Amino acid sequence: MKKWVLSLILMLVLSLSACGTAEEEPQANESEDTFKIGVIPALTEGNLEEPMEKLEQVLDDALEQDVELEVYPDYNGVVEALNFDHIQLAYLGPATYLEAHHRSGAQAILTQLIDGKPYYHSYIVTQHDAPWESLDDLLAEAEEVSFAFGDQSSTSGSIVPSHELKQRGVWEDEQTSDFGEMRYTGSHDATGIAVQNGQVDAGAIDSAYFNLLIEQGTLDESKFKVLWQSEELFQYPWAVSSEVDEETIQTIQDTFINIEDEEILGGFGASAFVEASDEDYESIRKVMEEMGRLD
């Protein structure tokens, strides 16, 4: 009797183990059959749904796997998803790309041209009728100034201008500065609108998105003046996780480079897509290291 009971228990254990394995395998296969893409929320206003849907379809046609594209709610979410291979391709700012490269070996493979150039700047802007004509003028009255950054992980909306302000002795960290008020809006358009509407006195913004927002009519150029411009920054990269094979990378590069759809290009303010590499972001890497962002 005891042997019979033990045999029955053993059969039940083996049966349950087999069921558990059978349930887990489809989930793994399902994940492998989907190529997932994450995009940072550089803008919160405007119609990005149609350009993203079109891009998703173009890549779905080009790749053997089904493609899913998602715009994430914040920059850090895209980095974490890339680091843990929850997505295989990501559109990030240079700083967020460098964090992903540092932590998980993500590789830049593409970027975009804006007016034919793969560069942009960080701007510090204020209202056209503000009393300051330069960044020095503004900082001389920093304790009376309300200042806006974009997302805390944004290259041009936070890290590069913060680096400049730190060198000038008015910014210490995300909680400490000489400004009367300091806030993080989360996106470039939110910063631009906050400055335009007088909700803040000045703010940091991506030059390419600033110009795009003016072209779209979201911002009125006549209501702004630029107090400061950074050196050239290499444009936002498309980066793959370390798990993506070379054949897939080549297909992705070829597909992006051949995109001529104005709606897709317009969604990124781009005139074309071109190849990029990790070396293109070396100058921004140095700023990140000085700011302690790659420890």
Side-chain angles (χ1 to χ4, degrees):
M1 178 65 77
K2 289 182 178 178
K3 289 182 179 179
W4 181 83
V5 172
L6 288 173
S7 297
L8 180 59
I9 291 172
L10 179 60
M11 289 174 65
L12 286 170
V13 170
L14 290 173
S15 176
L16 289 171
S17 298
C19 290
T21 303
E23 289 176 358
E24 290 169 5
E25 285 180 354
Q27 293 178 1
N29 291 337
E30 181 181 352
S31 176
E32 291 174 2
D33 289 340
T34 304
F35 190 89
K36 296 187 177 182
I37 303 170
V39 176
I40 59 169
L43 300 178
T44 55
E45 300 286 338
N47 181 20
L48 293 178
E49 185 175 347
E50 289 185 18
M52 297 306 164
E53 287 180 353
K54 280 191 170 185
L55 177 60
E56 181 181 69
Q57 187 59 56
V58 167
L59 291 168
D60 190 76
D61 292 341
L63 297 174
E64 293 182 0
Q65 297 163 283
D66 293 333
V67 171
E68 292 181 4
L69 185 152
E70 180 182 354
V71 178
Y72 276 62
D74 58 62
Y75 283 53
N76 190 58
V78 179
V79 174
E80 291 301 314
L82 191 59
N83 287 340
F84 289 99
D85 203 33
H86 296 317
I87 58 175
Q88 289 72 56
L89 176 66
Y91 177 68
L92 315 104
T96 40
Y97 158 66
L98 289 166
E99 289 176 355
H101 175 81
H102 180 71
R103 291 172 57 187
S104 65
Q107 289 292 330
I109 62 168
L110 289 155
T111 192
Q112 59 205 26
L113 299 180
I114 306 292
D115 297 328
K117 299 178 181 179
Y119 301 103
Y120 71 114
H121 301 273
S122 173
Y123 282 169
I124 291 178
V125 297
T126 188
Q127 294 88 16
H128 74 289
D129 57 354
W132 315 291
E133 298 301 326
S134 68
L135 183 56
D136 286 335
D137 292 344
L138 177 79
L139 298 184
E141 302 177 5
E143 68 280 356
E144 300 175 9
V145 171
S146 55
F147 194 95
F149 295 99
D151 189 283
Q152 292 179 347
S153 296
S154 170
T155 309
S156 56
S158 177
I159 295 171
V160 168
S162 294
H163 181 259
E164 177 69 21
L165 295 172
K166 187 169 187 176
Q167 290 184 318
R168 292 173 180 250
V170 297
W171 186 94
E172 182 57 35
D173 56 38
E174 292 168 351
Q175 289 77 41
T176 310
S177 76
D178 290 350
F179 291 118
E181 177 192 349
M182 184 173 65
R183 69 175 72 170
Y184 289 85
T185 67
S187 67
H188 296 295
D189 53 341
T191 298
I193 291 168
V195 174
Q196 178 170 280
N197 294 344
Q199 295 167 322
V200 293
D201 296 313
I205 192 170
D206 175 313
S207 65
Y209 278 114
F210 180 66
N211 292 330
L212 177 63
L213 291 164
I214 289 169
E215 290 174 11
Q216 293 175 340
T218 303
L219 299 180
D220 181 348
E221 186 175 16
S222 68
K223 295 184 178 180
F224 290 89
K225 60 182 169 185
V226 178
L227 297 178
W228 175 81
Q229 173 181 299
S230 72
E231 295 182 355
E232 288 182 340
L233 307 172
F234 205 78
Q235 269 291 350
Y236 291 39
W238 288 88
V240 292
S241 79
S242 59
E243 302 299 317
V244 178
D245 62 82
E246 289 299 325
E247 182 178 352
T248 302
I249 290 173
Q250 188 64 58
T251 300
I252 294 169
Q253 288 176 320
D254 292 343
T255 302
F256 267 89
I257 289 169
N258 288 317
I259 289 175
E260 296 181 349
D261 187 294
E262 292 296 331
E263 191 166 21
I264 295 176
L265 293 170
F268 299 93
S271 52
F273 294 105
V274 295
E275 289 189 22
S277 68
D278 182 70
E279 290 74 18
D280 294 322
Y281 299 93
E282 192 58 37
S283 64
I284 301 173
R285 178 179 280 110
K286 291 178 181 178
V287 171
M288 295 279 288
E289 289 171 346
E290 290 178 13
M291 294 290 284
R293 296 293 294 254
L294 296 179
D295 295 337

